[in-house]
Amino acid sequence: MPIVFIPTQLRSLTDGVDHVDLDATSIRQVVEGLEDRFPGIKARLCTGDDLSSSLQVSIDGVMSTRGMAAKVKPDSEVHF
């Protein structure tokens, strides 16, 4: 499962959890999985149905420009 690292400024929504393993194959599924576990986090990550324009996502050390459609692998590391 991909490992998703939670930014420091959002850890107040996760009770201090700094990373989670999520069953996901895209950033959209990552965001939905985070929202399921930590209600309210999606509103901080997204504007409407897209990632916030002020947010960048790194998948396996590479900055992605694909937004919610970006793919993640089972062993990926995702950083917002």
Side-chain angles (χ1 to χ4, degrees):
M1 281 190 239
I3 299 171
V4 181
F5 292 87
I6 310 296
T8 303
Q9 61 270 31
L10 296 181
R11 291 184 193 157
S12 62
L13 299 172
T14 66
D15 290 326
V17 172
D18 64 351
H19 70 280
V20 294
D21 296 326
L22 290 175
D23 187 18
T25 60
S26 69
I27 292 300
R28 181 173 309 284
Q29 289 179 350
V30 166
V31 170
E32 293 301 332
L34 288 172
E35 181 66 15
D36 287 345
R37 287 191 186 186
F38 311 111
I41 200 167
K42 183 177 180 180
R44 298 281 301 275
L45 297 173
C46 297
T47 302
D49 198 37
D50 295 317
L51 287 178
S52 173
S53 61
S54 64
L55 185 70
Q56 292 185 315
V57 63
S58 169
I59 303 167
D60 299 324
V62 177
M63 299 307 289
S64 174
T65 58
R66 299 206 55 223
M68 297 288 256
K71 299 296 182 195
V72 295
K73 298 175 186 171
D75 61 344
S76 287
E77 288 189 5
V78 177
H79 295 263
F80 287 101

